[in-house]
């Protein structure tokens, strides 16, 4: 008992998570996205038409720092939710499937702590995944293209140093955006012993949420969808920075964490752990 | 007995799981009830509120406005390459919901930022210079006022008053108040965190499409904070424009200094001005009267008649405008829940806040 045991459990959870071949494979796949974009733009003989393709694609050749932002725009709808869904869906169901859940729960009052530790592991992965895309994009951009002052959506220009700060803010925004999805994955994971099922369900939900967000007939539902603010990080690229969507996104994700966390606790504390 | 104990334990564990969603729902409900709750303010007559608006002396502000239009217009393609600023984007801005940030400092400096998803359209006005910037295609247009012999240097841009603030839109309606309008005071409410009086204008006429116009007036400064136009036979407001955030301190001066980013395609233009491709306002009867068209009818039933050749030749054949125009007898028409426009084959254009058959009979009479 005590907090030291909790920290030890978190340490071992993180080391298991980040020593896994699967985790590394996903992070490498994410790192490859900005590199692919940068190389494709570099090798292409035709300049990109402004206004076509993902955000800032046409400006990469002038400024390599845009590679990271373009890659994040590409990754947010599918690749990031995909990898987060795999990690979050695996949290409880994976242990149940391997038969290790019983041993993890031997300590008294261990269930809440185990849930918290598992969720913290998923959160750490959200951050690692976003940071990987941003860092690999920044690196690929610096290597392949010239670097200079960055143009914001408002048409104003900021220095390289400030653009690094804004990139960090964007990474933080996207990490926060994925917290709700992680909580949903954790909840689904407590309902099944088949990790693949929990992963698939989490990923499908992230796609469904984005599809619903695009249907104008369901406008009343949009503010309640966890993916509603996913692309709102563009507000950090305005001058002055608009914090509205950052705040709304944080509140929305916190609500999803509270609801899914409470349901996951209730389900998990009533779960029969036989194997 | 044992199963009963097990049940209660299970119930105890499900309890927090149910309490948290219930608490959240209650918080949301309570929040929305509070937002719509009436605010208590010392009561004022309609004339006193009109005087407050007339006296308002807000020179600087920064705020966020939200506009939503339910005019029943068809969805038009949004911005993209080759879409000129002007008619097309003005039409696009008349559909759906848009959020914009407005910064104003004195009579000569203003900036408008239309916040699109992953994009932004900017209008920066500073003295005799105006910049339009569109981040979607990284294009910038620079307008400069011609040097005028009368005043030293450049003439100021005439755009300041056309910034789509609730104030500008409200003033265009207030300018038209006459005996055909019934003015009343509604329940005070909270707009952008400020308490506001609500002034309601009701046309006495049965002909017009307008059911009512409500203006929320800041109780401290007299600044119009929001405007809502309702159309007859429509439950949702046909047009609303209101601050969601408002700060009356002077914005950072750097916001009004615009340098186009390197790599942007830049177009240089000198006035004569064209209308700001901004959040479009309903037609300002008072303003239009000066620029040529002949009005017929009175008050809310006014029909504006533009003689042939009032618009540049390319304007009416603009593909997006053409898409919105429906063929009718003798020409093409744009019908919305609030406004009708009739474009005759001979080039004459009629517009008004009346049903389309009123425009047709006005056209036939001339």
């Amino acid at each position: 008992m005590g907090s030291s045991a909790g920290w030890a459990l978190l340490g071992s959870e993180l080391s298991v998570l980040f020593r896994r071949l699967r985790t590394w494979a996903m992070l490498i796949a994410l790192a490859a996205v900005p590199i692919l974009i940068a190389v494709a733009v570099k090798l292409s003989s035709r300049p990109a038409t402004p206004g076509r393709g993902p955000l800032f694609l046409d400006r990469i050749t002038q400024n390599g720092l845009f590679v990271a932002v373009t890659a994040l725009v590409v990754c947010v709808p599918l690749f990031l939710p995909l990898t987060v869904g795999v990690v979050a869906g695996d949290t409880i169901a994976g242990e149940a499937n391997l038969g290790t859940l019983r041993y993890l729960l031997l300590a008294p009052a261990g269930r809440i702590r185990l849930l918290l530790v598992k969720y913290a592991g998923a959160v750490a992965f959200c951050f690692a995944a976003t940071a990987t895309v941003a860092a690999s994009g920044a690196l690929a951009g610096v290597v392949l293209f010239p670097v200079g002052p960055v143009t914001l959506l408002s048409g104003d220009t900021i220095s390289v140093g400030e653009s690094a700060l804004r990139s960090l803010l964007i990474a933080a925004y996207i990490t926060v955006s994925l917290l709700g999805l992680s909580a949903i994955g954790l909840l689904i994971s407590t309902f099944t012993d088949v990790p693949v099922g929990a992963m698939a369900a989490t990923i499908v939900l992230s796609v469904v949420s984005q599809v619903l967000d695009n249907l104008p007939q369901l406008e009343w539902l949009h503010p309640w969808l966890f993916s509603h603010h996913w692309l709102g990080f563009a507000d950090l690229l305005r001058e002055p920075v608009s914090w509205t969507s950052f705040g709304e996104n944080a509140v929305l994700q916190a609500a999803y964490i509270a609801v899914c966390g409470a349901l996951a606790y209730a389900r998990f504390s009533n779960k029969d752990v036989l194997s | 007995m044992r199963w009963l104990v097990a049940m209660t334990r299970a119930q105890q564990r499900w309890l927090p799981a149910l309490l948290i969603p219930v608490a959240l729902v209650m918080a949301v409900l309570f929040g929305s009830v509070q937002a719509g709750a009436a605010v208590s303010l010392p009561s004022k007559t309609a004339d006193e509120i009109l005087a407050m608006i007339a006296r308002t002396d807000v020179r600087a502000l920064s705020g966020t406005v939200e506009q939503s239009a339910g005019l029943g217009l068809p969805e038009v393609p949004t911005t993209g390459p080759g879409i000129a600023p002007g008619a097309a984007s003005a039409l696009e801005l008349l559909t759906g919901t848009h959020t914009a940030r407005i910064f104003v400092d004195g009579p000569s400096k203003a900036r408008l930022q239309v916040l699109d998803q992953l994009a932004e359209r900017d209008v920066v006005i500073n003295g005799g210079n105006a910049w339009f910037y569109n981040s979607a295609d990284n294009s910038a247009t620079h307008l400069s006022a011609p040097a005028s012999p009368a005043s030293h240097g450049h003439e100021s841009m005439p755009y300041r008053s056309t910034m789509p603030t609730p104030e500008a839109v409200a003033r265009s309606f207030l300018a038209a108040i006459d005996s055909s309008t019934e003015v009343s005071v509604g329940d005070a409410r909270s707009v952008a965190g400020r308490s506001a009086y609500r002034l309601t204008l009701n046309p006495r006429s049965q002909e017009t499409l307008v059911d009512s116009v409500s203006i929320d007036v800041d109780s401290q400064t007299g600044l119009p904070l929001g405007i809502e136009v309702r159309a007859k036979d429509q439950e949702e407001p046909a047009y609303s424009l209101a601050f969601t955030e408002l700060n009356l301190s002077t914005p950072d001066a750097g916001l009004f200094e615009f340098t186009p980013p390197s790599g942007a395609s830049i177009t240089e233009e000198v006035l004569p001005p064209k209308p700001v491709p901004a959040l479009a306002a309903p037609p300002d009867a008072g303003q239009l009267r000066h620029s040529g068209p002949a009005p017929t009818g009175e008050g809310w039933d006014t029909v504006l008649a533009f003689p042939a050749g009032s618009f540049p030749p390319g304007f009416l054949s603009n593909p997006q405008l053409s898409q919105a125009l429906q063929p009718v007898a003798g020409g093409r028409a744009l019908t919305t829940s609030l406004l009708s426009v009739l474009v005759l084959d001979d080039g004459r254009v009629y517009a008004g806040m009346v049903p389309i058959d009123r425009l047709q009979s006005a056209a036939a009479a001339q």
Side-chain angles (χ1 to χ4, degrees):
Chain A
M1 264 322 275
S3 65
S4 63
W7 289 115
L9 192 59
L10 179 60
S12 80
E13 168 68 20
L14 288 178
S15 79
V16 168
L17 176 63
F18 285 102
R19 253 189 248 153
R20 264 196 156 158
L21 190 63
R22 185 173 71 197
T23 311
W24 279 101
M26 290 194 297
L27 290 179
I28 289 170
L30 284 173
V33 172
I35 296 172
L36 264 177
I37 293 173
V39 171
V41 171
K42 184 79 180 175
L43 294 183
S44 163
S45 50
R46 275 179 309 150
T49 323
R52 294 193 54 192
L55 184 71
F56 292 142
L57 189 65
D58 56 308
R59 273 172 250 178
I60 287 176
T61 47
Q62 295 151 23
N63 197 335
L65 293 174
F66 282 122
V67 175
V69 178
T70 307
L72 283 171
V73 173
V74 170
C75 286
V76 160
L78 188 62
F79 294 122
L80 283 171
L82 201 73
T83 54
V84 168
V86 168
V87 170
D90 192 50
T91 45
I92 302 297
E95 303 282 1
N97 189 36
L98 287 174
T100 43
L101 196 52
R102 196 164 33 144
Y103 303 106
L104 287 170
L105 292 176
L106 282 178
R111 294 196 180 200
I112 297 180
R113 190 198 292 162
L114 183 65
L115 269 184
L116 287 175
V117 164
K118 283 290 180 186
Y119 187 64
V123 170
F125 180 80
C126 290
F127 180 74
T130 315
T132 302
V133 178
S136 146
L139 212 66
V142 168
V143 170
L144 291 176
F145 300 103
V147 167
V150 172
T151 307
L152 297 170
L153 289 176
S154 308
D156 299 285
T157 306
I158 56 170
S159 66
V160 175
E162 202 188 333
S163 79
L165 184 71
R166 299 240 183 167
S167 301
L168 280 179
L169 280 175
I170 291 176
Y173 185 103
I174 294 175
T175 305
V176 170
S177 295
L178 295 169
L179 296 185
L181 181 66
S182 305
I184 292 171
L186 181 75
L187 171 62
I188 297 174
S189 193
T190 58
F191 277 93
T192 173
D193 290 351
V194 187
V196 178
M199 296 174 192
T202 311
I203 295 161
V204 164
L205 270 182
S206 84
V207 174
V208 167
S209 171
Q210 292 179 80
V211 169
L212 294 180
D213 206 14
N214 275 319
L215 295 177
Q217 288 81 2
L218 297 174
E219 212 167 351
W220 55 271
L221 184 68
H222 292 173
W224 304 96
L225 295 169
F226 60 89
S227 65
H228 184 58
H229 295 288
W230 276 6
L231 291 176
F233 64 84
D235 282 1
L236 299 170
L237 292 171
R238 307 189 194 277
E239 184 66 28
V241 172
S242 168
W243 293 102
T244 320
S245 50
F246 200 111
E248 284 176 0
N249 186 36
V251 170
L252 182 71
Q253 303 299 333
Y256 268 93
I257 294 170
V259 172
C260 293
L263 289 171
Y265 160 71
R267 163 65 193 157
F268 192 47
S269 53
N270 289 322
K271 188 182 171 101
D272 284 327
V273 181
L274 297 173
S275 54
Chain B
M1 208 46 204
R2 190 176 287 167
W3 66 266
L4 199 67
V5 173
M7 244 240 355
T8 34
R9 282 191 62 186
Q11 277 173 347
Q12 274 173 357
R13 282 173 179 151
W14 278 104
L15 200 62
L18 295 174
L19 276 181
I20 289 183
V22 168
L24 277 174
V25 167
M26 280 175 64
V28 168
L29 285 180
F30 184 69
S32 61
V33 165
Q34 264 210 326
V39 177
S40 75
L41 284 172
S43 67
K44 277 196 158 73
T45 65
D47 284 339
E48 282 172 326
I49 296 171
L50 285 171
M52 273 176 75
I53 301 175
R55 275 200 314 269
T56 180
D57 187 28
V58 174
R59 290 179 50 84
L61 63 85
S62 44
T64 308
V65 290
E66 200 170 285
Q67 176 199 259
S68 64
L71 293 170
L73 272 175
E75 293 273 335
V76 287
T78 51
T79 49
I83 292 182
S89 46
L91 206 61
E92 182 262 316
L93 284 163
L94 272 178
T95 59
T97 305
H98 295 276
T99 307
R101 290 194 292 186
I102 294 178
F103 305 92
V104 174
D105 183 9
S108 62
K109 289 181 186 174
R111 180 166 188 162
L112 172 78
Q113 301 181 320
V114 181
L115 310 181
D116 304 315
Q117 190 174 60
L118 297 178
E120 186 171 314
R121 283 167 281 176
D122 273 56
V123 183
V124 187
I125 297 165
N126 193 343
N129 292 290
W131 281 97
F132 300 94
Y133 178 74
N134 186 348
S135 83
D137 55 4
N138 198 20
S139 67
T141 306
H142 180 214
L143 263 90
S144 49
S148 80
S151 66
H152 40 276
H154 290 285
E155 244 174 61
S156 185
M157 282 281 150
Y159 295 146
R160 162 70 171 84
S161 58
T162 55
M163 273 281 149
T165 55
E167 182 187 6
V169 181
R171 281 194 191 282
S172 66
F173 278 105
L174 292 173
I177 289 188
D178 55 19
S179 57
S180 67
T181 309
E182 190 186 319
V183 185
S184 57
V185 181
D187 288 332
R189 61 191 57 225
S190 169
V191 179
R194 303 173 70 92
S195 52
Y197 290 102
R198 169 158 277 209
L199 200 65
T200 303
L201 316 181
N202 283 97
R204 288 207 169 89
S205 153
Q206 294 303 311
E207 291 279 353
T208 177
L209 292 167
V210 179
D211 176 58
S212 70
V213 178
S214 301
I215 301 168
D216 295 318
V217 183
D218 184 26
S219 60
Q220 282 176 13
T221 61
L223 182 77
L225 299 177
I227 183 159
E228 198 176 275
V229 185
R230 289 179 178 273
K232 288 206 168 106
D233 310 322
Q234 190 175 315
E235 213 167 291
E236 295 291 307
Y239 177 88
S240 72
L241 174 71
F243 280 109
T244 53
E245 275 171 34
L246 179 63
N247 182 350
L248 294 181
S249 58
T250 308
D252 179 23
L255 278 173
F256 307 109
E257 307 289 339
F258 187 82
T259 316
S262 61
S265 59
I266 299 170
T267 318
E268 286 284 345
E269 280 181 34
V270 178
L271 288 175
K274 48 183 181 180
V276 181
L279 297 166
D284 177 345
Q287 229 175 33
L288 289 175
R289 210 166 278 154
H290 300 297
S291 57
T296 55
E298 280 201 338
W300 297 90
D301 305 341
T302 305
V303 172
L304 296 174
F306 298 85
S310 299
F311 295 97
F315 182 81
L316 292 171
S317 55
N318 179 308
Q320 277 154 320
L321 198 60
S322 306
Q323 235 175 24
L325 291 169
Q326 304 297 320
V328 292
R332 293 170 301 159
L334 176 74
T335 49
T336 70
S337 57
L338 214 54
L339 180 80
S340 303
V341 180
L342 176 65
V343 182
L344 291 172
D345 290 334
D346 59 13
R348 286 181 297 157
V349 176
Y350 288 82
M353 294 192 286
V354 289
I356 191 73
D357 52 336
R358 284 264 313 167
L359 296 182
Q360 283 170 319
S361 55
Q366 281 184 3

